[in-house]
Amino acid sequence: MSPDRIALKGLRARGRHGVLPAERELGQEFVVDATLFLDTAPAAAGDDLTKTVHYGELAEALVEVVEGEPVALIETLAQRLADVCLASELVRKVEVSVHKPAAPIPLPFDDVVVTIERSRV
């Protein structure tokens, strides 16, 4: 049986991630999508929030990472966000996408996205 999913999409926060000095100095908006794979049946059976992931608290924790210590690569940022998601023992696997819509690319583009998938060992 495949696990259920809780998805948090379009979470926005300002961070200072990037390789260029201006990115570190000025910062920019990042958008995060996180899909957590877990069994929600125990939570549903007892209508019990303690048996699932509180997506409001998760959102706050993810924003803290984006607004926190700068990194050069959004791949590194995605890994840090995945680690936050996997901190809950209930989460079996996570898919995290980090969007950088204002990336310093001197050509017209819609978005830059790095997506990673991580699971419990």
Side-chain angles (χ1 to χ4, degrees):
M1 186 166 86
S2 67
D4 305 321
R5 292 179 292 282
I6 295 175
L8 178 60
K9 296 190 180 277
L11 181 65
R12 299 177 186 286
R14 191 160 183 84
R16 297 180 179 275
H17 311 288
V19 175
L20 301 177
E23 293 179 289
R24 295 289 182 106
E25 182 182 329
L26 302 173
Q28 61 190 288
E29 182 180 68
F30 292 84
V31 182
V32 175
D33 302 324
T35 302
L36 286 59
F37 296 80
L38 67 157
D39 183 3
T40 63
D47 198 27
D48 187 351
L49 180 60
T50 65
K51 294 185 178 175
T52 188
V53 173
H54 188 306
Y55 49 79
E57 291 177 357
L58 175 65
E60 290 175 2
L62 295 175
V63 165
E64 282 183 27
V65 172
V66 175
E67 293 178 345
E69 179 186 349
V71 295
L73 303 177
I74 57 176
E75 291 86 346
T76 306
L77 180 58
Q79 180 64 56
R80 289 182 178 180
L81 295 166
D83 292 342
V84 168
C85 295
L86 289 169
S88 169
E89 293 292 324
L90 299 171
V91 178
R92 297 178 189 168
K93 182 172 78 169
V94 65
E95 181 180 277
V96 172
S97 295
V98 176
H99 302 255
K100 191 174 180 180
I105 299 172
L107 299 165
F109 73 99
D110 289 330
D111 199 3
V112 173
V113 184
V114 169
T115 300
I116 66 169
E117 187 177 291
R118 300 291 184 265
S119 58
R120 284 199 186 285
V121 178

